[in-house]
């Protein structure tokens, strides 16, 4: 997929929505595009994570504690917490169809934050918003 298309997808991903076009270009440049076949486990619950994924094409199933909790499609992201803390994955994500993914590693992401310190504040604000939305769903 062309870099311009990747940029358009990133601009719609909740984690990256507050970023400027220039910031998004840095993320695209630091990312790799990969294709995975249907049925492949992309991340497994409980394992340590070191990268975030943005779905460019295809769909994936999300399971937590053995229960299906979501379906992800183009424009969704997963694994973003690994960019921040490298902690264990909170769910298993399995490709339902062939997928094209944009992969951003923790080390590359940290280098971007070092280069553009203002991004950290944007990420914190974005994550805080997502936590508020999850709280409303859980306790609302």
């Amino acid at each position: 997929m062309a870099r311009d298309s990747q940029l358009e997808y990133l601009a719609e991903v909740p984690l990256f929505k507050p970023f400027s076009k220039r910031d998004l270009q840095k993320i695209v440049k630091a990312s790799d595009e990969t294709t995975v076949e249907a049925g492949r486990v992309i991340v497994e619950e409980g394992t340590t994570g070191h990268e975030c994924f943005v779905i460019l094409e295809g769909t994936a199933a999300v399971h937590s504690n053995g229960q299906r909790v979501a379906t992800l499609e183009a424009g969704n992201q997963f694994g973003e917490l690994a960019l921040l803390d490298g902690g264990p994955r909170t769910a298993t994500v399995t490709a339902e169809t062939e997928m094209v993914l944009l992969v951003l590693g923790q080390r590359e992401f940290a280098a971007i934050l070092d280069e553009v310190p203002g991004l950290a504040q944007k990420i914190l604000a974005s994550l805080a918003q997502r936590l508020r939305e999850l709280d409303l769903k859980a306790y609302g």
Side-chain angles (χ1 to χ4, degrees):
M1 179 175 285
R3 291 286 184 191
D4 286 343
S5 296
Q6 293 173 345
L7 192 67
E8 290 174 20
Y9 271 92
L10 276 185
E12 295 304 315
V13 171
L15 180 66
F16 301 122
K17 265 191 176 184
F19 291 17
S20 70
K21 185 174 181 177
R22 195 170 95 190
D23 297 338
L24 292 173
Q25 288 170 333
K26 290 176 191 233
I27 291 171
V28 167
K29 188 176 179 183
S31 301
D32 293 313
E33 186 176 302
T34 189
T35 302
V36 298
E37 68 278 0
R40 178 174 169 208
V41 173
I42 303 164
V43 300
E44 189 169 350
E45 186 174 7
T47 62
T48 302
H50 298 287
E51 63 277 320
C52 171
F53 302 85
V54 176
I55 301 173
L56 301 177
E57 296 176 18
T59 60
V62 182
H63 290 84
S64 181
N65 296 319
Q67 299 289 331
R68 185 180 182 125
V69 295
T71 299
L72 301 175
E73 56 191 17
N76 291 140
Q77 89 276 343
F78 59 96
E80 63 274 14
L81 292 178
L83 293 180
L84 304 173
D85 69 359
R89 301 287 190 185
T90 59
T92 296
V93 178
T94 306
E96 290 188 312
T97 65
E98 181 176 274
M99 299 179 72
V100 179
L101 303 170
L102 194 61
V103 184
L104 178 61
Q106 188 178 39
R107 185 174 22 165
E108 293 79 11
F109 188 65
I112 293 169
L113 290 181
D114 287 344
E115 185 180 337
V116 187
L119 286 183
Q121 181 61 38
K122 291 178 183 179
I123 289 169
L124 287 173
S126 178
L127 289 175
Q129 178 62 35
R130 291 190 63 209
L131 285 173
R132 287 182 191 283
E133 290 169 4
L134 290 172
D135 278 350
L136 283 175
K137 283 183 183 177
Y139 308 114

